[in-house]
Amino acid sequence: MKAIIATTVFGIIMMFAGILVNDRKNIGSIAALLFAALLGVSIWDLVTTPANAPQLLFNDMLRIEHYSLWFNTIMTGCSLLYVLLLGKEIQKVGKYVGEYFALIFFILCGLYLLSSYNNLLMLFIGIEILSIPQYILAGSDKRNLKSSEASLKYFLMGAFSTGILLMGITLLYGAARTFNIMEMVSMLHADALNPLAIGGILFLMVALSFKVSAAPMHMWTPDVYDGSPTAFTAFMATIVKSAAFFAFLRLFQVSFNALSGHWVFILAVITAATLLVGNVTAVFQQSVKRMLAYSSIAQAGFMLFAVLAVNAVAWQGIIIYALAYSVATIGIFAVLIKLKDYTYDGFNGLAKKEPFLAFVTTVCLFSLAGIPLTGGFMAKYFVLLAVVQQGQFMWLVIFALLMAAISVYYYFRVIIAMYFKQGTPELMSPVTSGDKFWMVVTCILVILLGVVPQLFLSNI
Amino acid sequence: MILILLIAIPLFAGIFSFGIKGDGAKVLGLISSMLTLVAAAYVSGANYIAPVSFSQPWIPLLGTQFSLMGDGMSSMLCLLTGIVVLVVMITNVSKEVEKPGSFYGLLLLSQAGLMGVFLAYDALVFYVFWELALIPVYFLCSQWGGEKRIAVTFKFFIYTFVGSLMLLAGLIYLSLQTPGLSSYAWADIVRAGASLPPEKQQWLFWLVFIAFAIKMPIFPFHTWQPDTYEQSPTPVTIILSALMVKMGMYAVLRWLVPVLPFGVAYWADTVVVLSVIGIVYASCIAIVQTDIKRLIAYSSIAHMGLMAAAAFTHSQVGTHGIMVQMFNHGINITGMWVMVSMIEQRYGTRDMTKLGGMATAAPQMAIALLIIAFANIALPLTNGFIGEFMLFNGIFRADSAGHITIMVVAGLGIILGAVYTLNMVQKTAWGEEVKMNSGKDLSTNEYLGLAIIISIIIFLGVYPKPLLDLTSGIAGVITAGH
């Protein structure tokens, strides 16, 4: 609750800071401080809320559970890490530095709503608050045609999917006579389900699949991620995506759990398609940035496992997956943005020139590939555990693991380029000791997640 | 605590080694591998009284404990790892490598990973080490290997990674069958697996086995192996063939045979037939090789095939024989590779049609080669004999209908083994003398390294009792379920 207010206020402060403060560097520092403060507030929220008493707010529009707060805190932490690692690059994107940070604060507001909505209207509002700032960020590099294209494409596709979302909500309202996701459970019965409800569930599934870029609703992702300024791609591909996943999981876990017979198979097919498209297409990319876009689709396939599993482990799975994936991806983007050439060849010989950057990239790539003792392994482990426990989809598990083996191919291509090929990569900006420090923190986080995951899950 | 040292010494020495420039890394590697060997010897020695074990909670959320066990089989393999790495370090003293700090660092890290695999008594810990042992080797091959190294090692990595992931799914499934839904302790996994209905064990078998089959490697999963051996730098080839393939064999004995008895029984004939095909096939290919390194690579497939066949025959003497043979094969093949690398260094080629007359030019080398070759074809009074004898004994006693046929066909492997090994010795040691490019007979450090190998070969050939006693108890435990 406090965090929702804080992030809104901080967003407004940043907007004024853009007018009142002239120096970009100072704006960046203010933003970093405010993000740190926001992390403080969300931890405060977490600590002061009793573990087993969900908080109902605004006429039951929000139901703040303990795990929602935990998710908020973790994602705020990731945002702070993002700002610390990529803040300087955000300042370089364009003129309106203050606004960029303000928009990121507003996105976080959307995230907080999505982690604890109790009403389909709140879901809609959350998704909109999350998305609209992103359309702006995607197009913030105004003179770049690709950036404008990304923005327009994202906006049109986003608007389209929002329409479907609203349609789904309407149909569900028709069947359940309520927007409240908890009350809905008692209104919908698996054995005598109103066809309207089935339509509504499917529409919601499609709309949310779009937001998390699950196949076949993923088409926008590579273009948008590739076209947007790299500094913002890092944010969109990680924290925003995780928020959409959390919303997805929340809705399907809370409201449609008992109805899973009606939708789970469709979702399994979506999952399989996402894994296939993401991994196979990533193999053919020549640009690392675009590869990361496809890799984000592939990783989404794994995160869908949590939604598929509809059991208690799924919450842990989604939180640890979101964290591990976000930290590692932000780490890689922090390195990528330093390079002039985003193709694989641009990484050639990086280990010789900048052994530190190469090492950080390697740790993060190991995590994405799911090598043990990194966060990515634990993340995959938890979502797999959830699905194996559910017991229905052993075939999908094996399929996903084969796909994970493919993912090693494109992740390791970067490692091969850095360590075993010759070349002289050009850097856009020097690596400062501040950068190094936060990159070390990133690596430590990745490894801590892999070695002692209970640190990040013990509160759920 | 001593078990932790077995992992920690090479681990920390390895990490530390990355920071060292120049020859300091060699010294560090030598010291570390000696200390590790001492610790491994202590753990093995303790087995004659009571096995050492260690346990510490790790991730309570998953029910996994960091538990290690140094029983007969584990400590024997740790001892082997200790000896082999030390021999690698000793024979490498006189060689120059690029970036020695990273090279020896990675070598030591892979040793730490191997120790972890052999000691792990918890399935998740086992899995973690199983994957971690692979990573340093991947970097070693890709950085210091031959011309085609990048593509070949990549294939090797992805191949083994696929297997590992299947293993992970299998282990998760098994741990969900344990009481409380999450325990990875060996005893719990064994109990959970063994009580699964046979039809479940039958498909679970492949999830678990595929990883081990790729690592061993069993025909037809072996295609990564000759290329990788050929392209790797010799110290890495030694680690791969003497130790990493033992991971697969060890894992079958520890994590498959007792865990899924019905699954193993159901598929035993299939695997045995595949293994026997592998023996004959690899032996035949070995005969026509002219590159010594490839020849030994194929010979290694044949030897592992025999062990794999024995592992699926449910006989105690066969299982016991595998353990003995794992040790001996590790020692012999290390000797072989050391010889190959010395020949390559001196003559500048591995093609045996271009070699000859080593007995005149370097008599000590020729004698060493001969002894190791004899051990490789399991001549009596060398260490290879006792192991292969027990393996054949085990296969002969199998309950499968075709066990005699299998034994006879597998026996062909021995004859073919003699053909290609002796042919290789003949072509390199005798015949017309070819001039060496550089170097002379054995240098002091090479002499020392080979002396360790040869004395083990002869000692265990004449008096194998210490090795047999060390592993007899655990062989009984593993076959108890059948």
Side-chain angles (χ1 to χ4, degrees):
Chain A
M1 174 66 196
K2 295 177 203 91
I4 301 177
I5 297 168
T7 182
T8 319
V9 172
F10 291 167
I12 296 167
I13 292 178
M14 281 319 294
M15 286 170 80
F16 281 102
I19 305 166
L20 300 174
V21 183
N22 288 326
D23 191 358
R24 285 182 186 197
K25 262 196 182 156
N26 290 344
I27 299 180
S29 318
I30 295 172
L33 275 179
L34 288 182
F35 272 101
L38 187 61
L39 180 63
V41 174
S42 53
I43 292 175
W44 183 23
D45 253 350
L46 181 71
V47 179
T48 51
T49 312
N52 293 322
Q55 228 181 330
L56 285 165
L57 293 173
F58 307 124
N59 291 323
D60 296 359
M61 292 294 259
L62 289 182
R63 182 185 160 91
I64 301 180
E65 316 253 5
H66 200 69
Y67 58 71
S68 319
L69 291 171
W70 189 238
F71 180 76
N72 291 352
T73 311
I74 279 178
M75 282 297 124
T76 316
C78 286
S79 311
L80 177 63
L81 184 70
Y82 160 75
V83 170
L84 291 169
L85 273 172
L86 291 151
K88 265 188 289 173
E89 307 298 330
I90 298 175
Q91 293 161 29
K92 285 181 201 157
V93 172
K95 256 165 72 184
Y96 311 100
V97 183
E99 273 85 338
Y100 303 148
F101 286 111
L103 290 169
I104 293 174
F105 275 115
F106 293 144
I107 292 179
L108 281 180
C109 180
L111 182 144
Y112 294 156
L113 293 181
L114 285 178
S115 70
S116 43
Y117 68 90
N118 193 36
N119 191 301
L120 288 176
L121 293 177
M122 221 53 189
L123 167 71
F124 171 70
I125 292 172
I127 292 249
E128 286 306 286
I129 297 181
L130 192 76
S131 303
I132 293 172
Q134 278 191 86
Y135 306 146
I136 308 170
L137 288 181
S140 55
D141 187 3
K142 279 194 291 190
R143 276 182 216 103
N144 185 340
L145 269 181
K146 276 176 90 182
S147 176
S148 312
E149 181 202 334
S151 180
L152 186 65
K153 201 172 239 171
Y154 199 8
F155 173 68
L156 289 177
M157 298 299 278
F160 186 63
S161 82
T162 307
I164 296 177
L165 181 80
L166 276 178
M167 187 91 87
I169 291 175
T170 319
L171 288 179
L172 262 179
Y173 183 75
R177 278 164 284 160
T178 173
F179 285 127
N180 188 306
I181 63 170
M182 305 290 275
E183 286 169 17
M184 204 175 277
V185 180
S186 56
M187 304 298 284
L188 302 170
H189 302 286
D191 37 354
L193 196 60
N194 192 325
L196 283 181
I198 297 179
I201 291 172
L202 288 184
F203 274 28
L204 281 171
M205 190 188 283
V206 168
L208 288 167
S209 295
F210 174 88
K211 293 292 174 195
V212 301
S213 62
M217 281 69 77
H218 68 283
M219 301 290 186
W220 58 275
T221 318
D223 291 340
V224 171
Y225 285 6
D226 197 21
S228 307
T230 311
F232 298 131
T233 311
F235 193 75
M236 288 183 217
T238 54
I239 290 146
V240 174
K241 188 170 231 177
S242 306
F245 258 110
F246 202 81
F248 201 161
L249 178 65
R250 188 175 166 84
L251 183 63
F252 280 74
Q253 183 95 298
V254 172
S255 308
F256 307 144
N257 198 339
L259 314 176
S260 67
H262 289 277
W263 53 266
V264 81
F265 185 72
I266 301 173
L267 193 65
V269 172
I270 291 181
T271 309
T274 310
L275 285 164
L276 185 72
V277 168
N279 283 302
V280 173
T281 325
V283 168
F284 298 106
Q285 302 308 315
Q286 292 310 318
S287 145
V288 174
K289 193 178 175 188
R290 220 172 155 83
M291 179 276 277
L292 284 170
Y294 280 103
S295 127
S296 89
I297 300 175
Q299 302 278 352
F302 267 99
M303 282 197 251
L304 278 174
F305 270 24
V307 186
L308 205 59
V310 284
N311 57 19
V313 187
W315 291 112
Q316 297 176 336
I318 202 91
I319 288 180
I320 195 159
Y321 210 110
L323 178 57
Y325 165 71
S326 302
V327 171
T329 309
I330 291 172
I332 293 177
F333 270 110
V335 175
L336 183 71
I337 208 163
K338 297 263 178 220
L339 295 177
K340 199 168 191 182
D341 182 0
Y342 285 170
T343 61
Y344 282 103
D345 291 340
F347 279 83
N348 281 355
L350 189 68
K352 223 171 227 152
K353 195 168 179 217
E354 292 284 343
F356 179 76
L357 287 188
F359 176 76
V360 173
T361 318
T362 307
V363 171
C364 292
L365 285 170
F366 274 2
S367 180
L368 289 182
I371 307 280
L373 295 193
T374 61
F377 170 71
M378 279 301 158
K380 285 214 169 68
Y381 177 87
F382 270 94
V383 290
L384 288 179
L385 181 70
V387 177
V388 175
Q389 198 168 31
Q390 195 249 13
Q392 216 178 325
F393 293 110
M394 208 58 197
W395 61 271
L396 192 59
V397 169
I398 292 169
F399 178 73
L401 289 173
L402 286 176
M403 291 296 128
I406 294 183
S407 78
V408 169
Y409 179 82
Y410 53 82
Y411 292 135
F412 271 57
R413 265 180 77 186
V414 182
I415 295 179
I416 288 175
M418 291 191 302
Y419 281 92
F420 313 131
K421 290 198 172 156
Q422 305 297 326
T424 43
E426 280 178 70
L427 293 194
M428 294 291 278
S429 55
V431 189
T432 62
S433 50
D435 290 336
K436 281 196 178 169
F437 178 76
W438 293 112
M439 285 181 186
V440 169
V441 170
T442 312
C443 288
I444 292 174
L445 262 178
V446 168
I447 290 166
L448 269 186
L449 257 168
V451 180
V452 278
Q454 61 265 43
L455 283 184
F456 303 90
L457 288 171
S458 55
N459 279 11
I460 306 170
Chain B
M1 219 42 222
I2 184 96
L3 294 178
I4 290 283
L5 277 184
L6 276 179
I7 300 171
I9 296 173
L11 178 70
F12 288 109
I15 293 172
F16 196 63
S17 172
F18 283 101
I20 301 181
K21 291 211 166 80
D23 277 354
K26 273 184 197 169
V27 180
L28 181 69
L30 266 174
I31 295 171
S32 150
S33 51
M34 274 187 232
L35 288 176
T36 320
L37 181 59
V38 171
Y42 175 84
V43 172
S44 309
N47 257 289
Y48 295 102
I49 305 156
V52 194
S53 65
F54 174 85
S55 190
Q56 182 76 33
W58 179 30
I59 309 175
L61 203 61
L62 308 178
T64 177
Q65 296 226 327
F66 192 82
S67 55
L68 305 175
M69 175 63 147
D71 60 15
M73 180 163 54
S74 297
S75 59
M76 178 269 290
L77 284 164
C78 289
L79 192 64
L80 176 67
T81 312
I83 295 172
V84 168
V85 174
L86 182 62
V87 171
V88 168
M89 293 291 176
I90 290 177
T91 53
N92 242 35
V93 164
S94 55
K95 285 188 196 123
E96 291 300 321
V97 287
E98 244 179 277
K99 287 195 266 174
S102 322
F103 183 80
Y104 290 102
L106 287 166
L107 215 54
L108 290 171
L109 288 184
S110 72
Q111 187 189 13
L114 283 160
M115 290 287 187
V117 171
F118 294 141
L119 289 171
Y121 213 51
D122 178 287
L124 202 64
V125 176
F126 168 77
Y127 180 79
V128 166
F129 279 115
W130 175 270
E131 292 245 312
L132 286 188
L134 181 63
I135 308 263
V137 172
Y138 170 73
F139 278 95
L140 280 169
C141 298
S142 304
Q143 182 103 49
W144 287 273
E147 265 167 54
K148 289 184 292 178
R149 60 184 193 279
I150 293 177
V152 165
T153 329
F154 205 20
K155 175 177 166 189
F156 158 63
F157 188 85
I158 291 189
Y159 236 96
T160 42
F161 197 71
V162 173
S164 307
L165 288 170
M166 296 296 131
L167 173 65
L168 179 63
L171 291 179
I172 291 178
Y173 187 87
L174 280 169
S175 92
L176 284 171
Q177 314 301 318
T178 56
L181 291 184
S182 62
S183 167
Y184 281 96
W186 184 76
D188 286 336
I189 292 277
V190 166
R191 217 171 301 131
S195 54
L196 278 174
E199 64 276 7
K200 279 207 172 133
Q201 292 196 18
Q202 283 161 20
W203 64 261
L204 204 54
F205 172 87
W206 283 105
L207 275 191
V208 178
F209 180 61
I210 200 106
F212 307 157
I214 291 171
K215 207 74 145 203
M216 282 204 271
I218 280 184
F219 177 87
F221 305 106
H222 68 280
T223 53
W224 61 270
Q225 197 225 32
D227 289 338
T228 312
Y229 282 11
E230 190 192 349
Q231 294 297 322
S232 305
T234 307
V236 183
T237 316
I238 294 177
I239 300 282
L240 276 169
S241 62
L243 303 173
M244 291 200 86
V245 297
K246 304 297 180 305
M247 280 165 59
M249 199 63 241
Y250 163 84
V252 166
L253 293 185
R254 171 82 77 199
W255 296 104
L256 184 66
V257 172
V259 175
L260 300 169
F262 291 119
V264 170
Y266 186 82
W267 293 107
D269 284 349
T270 316
V271 178
V272 169
V273 168
L274 285 178
S275 310
V276 172
I277 293 175
I279 296 173
V280 176
Y281 167 82
S283 302
C284 288
I285 297 186
I287 289 176
V288 297
Q289 296 296 320
T290 54
D291 182 339
I292 316 177
K293 222 173 173 182
R294 283 189 87 86
L295 185 147
I296 296 171
Y298 280 107
S299 118
S300 180
I301 298 182
H303 282 119
M304 290 312 290
L306 187 60
M307 287 185 234
F312 286 85
T313 54
H314 328 301
S315 73
Q316 191 176 339
V317 61
T319 311
H320 196 183
I322 296 171
M323 294 179 201
V324 173
Q325 189 63 358
M326 277 200 273
F327 189 86
N328 292 330
H329 177 255
I331 295 290
N332 297 344
I333 198 120
T334 307
M336 274 293 186
W337 292 125
V338 170
M339 291 308 305
V340 170
S341 103
M342 290 191 314
I343 291 172
E344 191 181 5
Q345 197 188 3
R346 282 172 174 73
Y347 290 96
T349 177
R350 296 189 306 248
D351 186 345
M352 57 190 188
T353 55
K354 292 181 189 151
L355 293 169
M358 197 169 72
T360 349
Q364 289 179 338
M365 260 174 83
I367 293 170
L369 176 66
L370 194 64
I371 296 175
I372 295 167
F374 280 156
N376 198 41
I377 55 178
L379 205 71
L381 292 189
T382 63
N383 61 347
F385 173 71
I386 180 72
E388 291 211 344
F389 178 79
M390 290 169 82
L391 292 178
F392 277 108
N393 194 343
I395 297 174
F396 183 72
R397 289 183 193 198
D399 7 290
S400 146
H403 62 113
I404 297 199
T405 323
I406 287 168
M407 202 192 85
V408 170
V409 179
L412 275 178
I414 295 265
I415 300 169
L416 295 172
V419 172
Y420 57 75
T421 313
L422 293 179
N423 185 32
M424 189 262 285
V425 173
Q426 190 190 346
K427 286 207 170 135
T428 48
W430 287 286
E432 213 169 298
E433 189 176 341
V434 175
K435 231 174 136 20
M436 287 185 182
N437 289 353
S438 59
K440 292 196 287 287
D441 211 346
L442 298 180
S443 62
T444 321
N445 65 311
E446 289 168 342
Y447 191 88
L448 188 63
L450 285 173
I452 296 175
I453 299 279
I454 290 176
S455 44
I456 294 174
I457 289 179
I458 294 175
F459 176 75
L460 288 179
V462 178
Y463 186 68
K465 191 166 183 297
L467 184 58
L468 290 171
D469 285 352
L470 181 63
T471 47
S472 62
I474 184 72
V477 172
I478 285 165
T479 43
H482 294 280

